Amino acid sequence: AQRVTQPEKLLSVFKGAPVELKCNYSYSGSPELFWYVQYSRQRLQLLLRHISRESIKGFTADLNKGETSFHLKKPFAQEEDSAMYYCALSGASGTYKYIFGTGTRLKVLA
Amino acid sequence: GAGVSQTPSNKVTEKGKYVELRCDPISGHTALYWYRQSLGQGPEFLIYFQGTGAADDSGLPNDRFFAVRPEGSVSTLKIQRTERGDSAVYLCASSLGGDKNIQYFGAGTRLSVL
């Protein structure tokens, strides 16, 4: 079955501390992985795409096919990082629909 | 340029009524998706259009749900005989299609069925 698991509903860290939001997936094939972020009262927006291998707002994510994981990391959290984060996967061909995890709320404390 | 636009932003209806939710995608985006997000959950896929045709409607929960995209741009999600369990945020997304699959989301329509 195709599935994305985000085990933490809520993650609280202090400003300046490292952050890791976990994402594991189950997919038969070669999926494309994404992280989307939703700031308060804003729409879902793309944060990272695994094939881009970019660092956005200090966040990085590496696809680990052996562990079927795509964890999101940032070395020093900022208060403005507080938001809802969703991991999603898309098949490499076909409908390209997204399968989302349930999301992790990140709270960065002053 | 304008992003994905969804109207109305909020819709309150009574059980058993019919509702229509509208999505205006980014100009030039051939692919359009509908998702449903219930409280505490991630968005769940409903239906995908490539151009005017529904290429994948496997996520529609039952035959009360239907969507159209007659001219390959604006799409309407239609729900007949609404039930309280249909209450959710309905999200629309569009993309350039194919392997250029970054989906851009609208702000959603919050549907409340009383």
Side-chain angles (χ1 to χ4, degrees):
Chain A
Q2 301 171 10
R3 187 185 304 122
V4 175
T5 302
Q6 293 181 251
E8 303 135 332
K9 279 194 174 302
L10 173 65
L11 184 64
S12 296
V13 301
F14 285 101
K15 178 181 169 183
V19 172
E20 182 179 52
L21 287 83
K22 292 185 168 49
C23 172
N24 287 89
Y25 66 91
S26 172
Y27 186 82
S28 55
S30 297
E32 187 169 1
L33 275 294
F34 303 83
W35 277 100
Y36 274 77
V37 60
Q38 188 168 27
Y39 300 103
S40 179
R41 296 187 178 82
Q42 295 187 27
R43 63 187 65 191
L44 268 173
Q45 56 186 278
L46 179 69
L47 181 63
L48 283 178
R49 185 182 190 190
H50 92 266
I51 63 171
S52 300
R53 295 184 162 272
E54 294 174 301
S55 172
I56 306 292
K57 299 185 180 184
F59 284 97
T60 58
D62 290 318
L63 180 61
N64 186 322
K65 293 184 179 180
E67 295 182 359
T68 59
S69 69
F70 188 56
H71 302 328
L72 183 68
K73 299 178 184 180
K74 184 169 183 177
F76 307 105
Q78 304 298 315
E79 288 181 75
E80 56 265 31
D81 296 329
S82 295
M84 197 74 187
Y85 291 80
Y86 293 95
C87 182
L89 74 76
S90 175
S93 63
T95 68
Y96 304 101
K97 65 188 178 189
Y98 284 178
I99 298 170
F100 283 90
T102 51
T104 297
R105 179 168 298 283
L106 175 64
K107 284 191 176 180
V108 181
L109 308 170
Chain B
V4 177
S5 175
Q6 291 189 247
T7 55
S9 54
N10 282 283
K11 175 72 177 177
V12 180
T13 190
E14 293 179 344
K15 179 174 178 292
K17 300 288 189 185
Y18 167 83
V19 297
E20 290 189 351
L21 312 179
R22 177 189 166 108
C23 173
D24 205 334
I26 293 171
S27 177
H29 280 192
T30 59
L32 186 146
Y33 301 80
W34 284 98
Y35 294 85
R36 178 168 71 172
Q37 186 171 20
S38 300
L39 196 61
Q41 302 297 315
E44 292 179 306
F45 169 77
L46 294 176
I47 187 169
Y48 156 65
F49 288 90
Q50 179 57 47
T52 60
D56 183 352
D57 64 358
S58 62
L60 295 177
N62 52 59
D63 60 7
R64 295 187 298 105
F65 288 75
F66 189 72
V68 296
R69 194 186 185 198
E71 296 177 0
S73 178
V74 171
S75 176
T76 305
L77 178 66
K78 308 180 181 200
I79 310 174
Q80 298 178 319
R81 305 183 303 281
T82 52
E83 299 178 357
R84 292 197 179 90
D86 298 335
S87 297
V89 176
Y90 289 82
L91 295 169
C92 177
S94 70
S95 79
L96 286 168
D99 59 359
K100 299 175 178 60
N101 189 30
I102 295 175
Q103 294 183 25
Y104 297 85
F105 283 81
T109 294
R110 182 176 297 279
L111 176 66
S112 299
V113 182
L114 304 180

